[in-house]
Amino acid sequence: MTYLILIKKEAVEAFRTYRFFIISILFLLFGLAAPATAKLLPEIIKNLGTGESLMIQVPTPTVYDSWLQFFSNHSQMTLIIFMITFGQSLGKELSDGTMVLLVTKGINRNTAMLAKFSYQAGLWLAGLAGSALITYLYNFVLFSGENQPVGTILWYVFSLWLFGVFFIGVSQLGQVLLPKASGGLLLSFLAIAGLLILNIFSAVEKVSPLNLIGVTSEGLKNGIDIRSSLLPLLITLGLVILAVCCAGLRFKKVPVY
């Protein structure tokens, strides 16, 4: 019961600080922007090449281009803005001393941390699902008659969600390792830098969490071999559990008074 109350507290706080509205508008805009960009960008490029000295050949846009734009937007811009918006909440409570109010009321500090993690993971999932639905419906208007592989899209959405959850967990760990408002963002930056560096090794590249956001046109058209994607997914899930557990162990030792 306490856990649910804490999640409600996180939701109310997100409303009051306008963070919920910022993220909701972002998901809405990118849900609409993906089909529009895929449809209009080739026309804009063609218009740039109307002169005699410049001829640009642009392939006809398809619904797959729309989905590629969707996943590109969310795996880069949306995730970064989401982490900036929510990736400092625990560290801010620690640095401001507001966590004391919860602890003195007998609430377990790790329960409070897990409530933050759960709310952010749930909001990330709801935002992706809502944005994907908007893109799916808008594609019917702009790319009428073209097939949208629902099963493949849902798998890619789930993979992107788990990739985001990994960084939510890393952010939680960063905020208790470096109990300042910027600790979560710093560790998240180091995590993505580490993944990019390790990705130069072929053995690591095959199982890297970065595979979860490796959406391709061929994958959308022909479907995904889930067996080849399963290992990166399981490794990412293991890293999420590891980050949350380490954050919980560390949080027990962080002074809140």
Side-chain angles (χ1 to χ4, degrees):
M1 188 65 180
T2 302
Y3 180 70
L4 295 177
I5 292 174
L6 289 171
I7 291 180
K8 182 179 179 181
K9 166 189 168 293
E10 292 300 316
V12 171
E13 182 181 336
F15 269 99
R16 288 177 175 173
T17 56
Y18 302 104
R19 288 180 292 177
F20 176 83
F21 297 105
I22 292 171
I23 294 302
S24 297
I25 291 171
L26 188 68
F27 279 117
L28 172 64
L29 289 177
F30 279 144
L32 293 170
T37 303
K39 188 72 174 181
L40 298 177
L41 188 59
E43 295 298 324
I44 295 173
I45 294 175
K46 283 182 182 179
N47 291 333
L48 293 176
T50 54
E52 296 182 359
S53 61
L54 182 61
M55 295 294 294
I56 301 177
Q57 296 294 327
V58 181
T60 303
T62 67
V63 72
Y64 302 114
D65 297 314
S66 172
W67 283 112
L68 286 174
Q69 188 67 48
F70 171 88
F71 288 107
S72 176
N73 288 341
H74 286 307
S75 64
Q76 298 175 38
M77 293 300 299
T78 308
L79 181 56
I80 292 173
I81 297 173
F82 189 93
M83 294 310 303
I84 292 174
T85 305
F86 286 95
Q88 307 178 61
S89 59
L90 180 60
K92 194 172 188 308
E93 287 197 18
L94 287 171
S95 60
D96 292 349
T98 53
M99 183 62 68
V100 178
L101 299 175
L102 296 177
V103 175
T104 53
K105 291 181 179 179
I107 295 176
N108 184 283
R109 61 177 71 189
N110 279 341
T111 303
M113 185 190 71
L114 286 174
K116 286 183 179 293
F117 175 83
S118 299
Y119 174 74
Q120 291 172 21
L123 183 61
W124 175 242
L125 176 61
L128 286 176
S131 187
L133 179 60
I134 292 170
T135 297
Y136 183 81
L137 295 175
Y138 199 11
N139 281 337
F140 274 118
V141 178
L142 297 183
F143 302 96
S144 59
E146 295 192 37
N147 178 53
Q148 300 187 72
V150 176
T152 302
I153 291 168
L154 289 176
W155 176 263
Y156 277 135
V157 169
F158 172 74
S159 298
L160 176 56
W161 172 75
L162 185 59
F163 185 77
V165 170
F166 166 65
F167 279 97
I168 293 172
V170 169
S171 174
Q172 297 281 339
L173 178 58
Q175 291 173 83
V176 295
L177 284 176
L178 303 168
K180 297 181 181 296
S182 58
L185 297 178
L186 176 59
L187 191 60
S188 297
F189 172 78
L190 292 176
I192 191 64
L195 288 176
L196 291 172
I197 292 172
L198 290 174
N199 223 42
I200 65 176
F201 302 101
S202 58
V204 177
E205 182 184 9
K206 295 177 181 178
V207 298
S208 171
L210 291 174
N211 284 299
L212 298 184
I213 57 173
V215 182
T216 63
S217 180
E218 290 75 15
L220 287 167
K221 292 177 183 177
N222 305 321
I224 308 168
D225 182 4
I226 293 180
R227 290 174 298 179
S228 64
S229 306
L230 197 56
L231 189 55
L233 188 145
L234 291 175
I235 288 176
T236 305
L237 180 60
L239 291 173
V240 170
I241 296 172
L242 179 63
V244 172
C245 289
C246 290
L249 292 172
R250 171 59 184 166
F251 198 25
K252 290 180 179 180
K253 301 179 181 179
V254 174
V256 295
Y257 297 101

